[in-house]
Amino acid sequence: MIKFFQKIRQRLLTENKFSKYLLYAIGEIVLVVIGILIALSINNWNNNNVRANEEVSLLHDMVIDLKQNIDTFNIVLNIHNATLKQNITLRRVLLNKNSTEDMPQRLIGSLTSSATPTFSTSTYKTISQTGLNIVSSDTLKKSILRYYEVILPYVNYKSNEDPKNQFQELLKPYFNKYLKLKLNSNDSIIRSINRKQDMFNDNEFLNELHTTIGKRKKLIQHLHTGIRNSEFLIQEIEQHLTEKR
């Protein structure tokens, strides 16, 4: 093809048809420019297609992470709900000072019960490294940032780092004080209540338990907030993926 165009140029020059040669040269330049633009357009289309596929893949992975987070939230939530019920029962026993009421050892054992979640953030870290601009929706981008930079760190702090919510540390002294352990003939551990009457008259213990119940209720609310925000973000991502099909 190149040789064909060269022969045309040479023939026009030989015949001294300069004006036609000039027009031909301009036309050839235009064709070259058009070819370059087409090549660039195809390359951009390929790049956009690759980017779009990468976005879809990463968002699918993020949905998996979010569902894992919901599972984690629910596991931790179940533990705190069960422990809260036991703490409330123990508070009632202490308030009534009813030594005849059945008070199983698990009520005292629940004093040190707690749960700290570990959330899945691997896909968000990958997206952050490659750049959040890979997410084509500005609204979704803001929702992702809000979830991973605000909601999740806050819930994580309340669950793992806030000393006010470290229930096992707050109540551990009373666990050690009023729960007695001993071995039976089979070398298995038996738990029993130690100094029951002292425990009924321990107003400091009652106050600490009451305070902890209130804090545990607030933590449960934070966990519910985390679940709702995880579900909302999943819905946004799935709607965005549906619109891209």
Side-chain angles (χ1 to χ4, degrees):
M1 183 63 72
I2 295 175
K3 290 182 179 180
F4 174 74
F5 287 125
Q6 287 176 344
K7 287 181 180 179
I8 294 176
R9 287 198 302 270
Q10 289 174 356
R11 182 166 58 81
L12 290 173
L13 287 173
T14 302
E15 296 175 359
N16 291 324
K17 296 179 180 179
F18 182 75
S19 59
K20 289 184 178 181
Y21 173 80
L22 185 60
L23 288 173
Y24 171 81
I26 293 172
E28 189 174 338
I29 292 171
V30 171
L31 286 174
V32 171
V33 171
I34 292 173
I36 292 173
L37 291 175
I38 292 173
L40 288 174
S41 178
I42 293 172
N43 185 60
N44 286 336
W45 181 86
N46 287 333
N47 288 337
N48 290 336
N49 194 40
V50 170
R51 190 177 181 84
N53 290 335
E54 186 177 0
E55 178 192 4
V56 169
S57 177
L58 286 171
L59 289 178
H60 276 304
D61 290 343
M62 181 170 285
V63 168
I64 294 173
D65 284 353
L66 290 168
K67 289 180 178 179
Q68 290 177 349
N69 286 345
I70 291 174
D71 290 341
T72 299
F73 275 122
N74 281 318
I75 290 171
V76 174
L77 190 59
N78 289 337
I79 293 172
H80 281 295
N81 277 328
T83 304
L84 177 63
K85 291 178 180 178
Q86 294 174 341
N87 290 165
I88 291 174
T89 301
L90 178 58
R91 180 178 62 181
R92 186 182 69 248
V93 170
L94 295 177
L95 282 170
N96 294 335
K97 295 185 178 181
N98 189 351
S99 59
T100 61
E101 182 174 342
D102 179 36
M103 189 174 65
Q105 287 79 4
R106 61 183 176 82
L107 293 179
I108 295 293
S110 70
L111 294 179
T112 59
S113 176
S114 189
T116 54
T118 301
F119 300 110
S120 299
T121 59
S122 57
T123 303
Y124 176 70
K125 291 177 181 178
T126 300
I127 291 179
S128 299
Q129 291 171 356
T130 58
L132 273 174
N133 288 330
I134 196 170
V135 180
S136 54
S137 167
D138 290 336
T139 301
L140 179 57
K141 196 184 305 179
K142 290 177 182 178
S143 296
I144 291 173
L145 279 170
R146 179 176 175 272
Y147 177 83
Y148 283 99
E149 297 295 340
V150 179
I151 300 297
L152 210 57
Y154 180 74
V155 176
N156 188 63
Y157 170 75
K158 286 297 182 182
S159 301
N160 296 332
E161 300 173 24
D162 190 346
K164 294 178 181 179
N165 292 330
Q166 300 308 305
F167 309 112
Q168 69 274 27
E169 293 301 322
L170 293 174
L171 295 176
K172 188 175 181 179
Y174 306 101
F175 173 86
N176 293 331
K177 186 175 182 180
Y178 296 121
L179 186 64
K180 181 170 62 176
L181 303 179
K182 63 180 181 178
L183 293 176
N184 64 10
S185 57
N186 297 324
D187 285 339
S188 59
I189 294 178
I190 300 176
R191 293 183 175 188
S192 60
I193 304 302
N194 185 39
R195 299 163 56 190
K196 184 180 291 187
Q197 201 58 45
D198 289 344
M199 183 177 67
F200 287 143
N201 295 323
D202 193 337
N203 192 60
E204 183 178 315
F205 175 31
L206 179 60
N207 286 334
E208 193 70 74
L209 179 61
H210 177 72
T211 300
T212 300
I213 287 172
K215 291 175 181 177
R216 197 182 292 272
K217 286 180 178 178
K218 289 182 179 179
L219 177 56
I220 287 172
Q221 291 176 354
H222 294 316
L223 293 171
H224 279 296
T225 298
I227 291 174
R228 287 195 301 271
N229 280 274
S230 300
E231 292 172 341
F232 290 154
L233 185 54
I234 288 174
Q235 291 174 3
E236 282 192 66
I237 292 174
E238 290 180 340
Q239 182 179 351
H240 175 70
L241 292 174
T242 300
E243 292 171 354
K244 288 182 69 69
R245 291 173 186 168

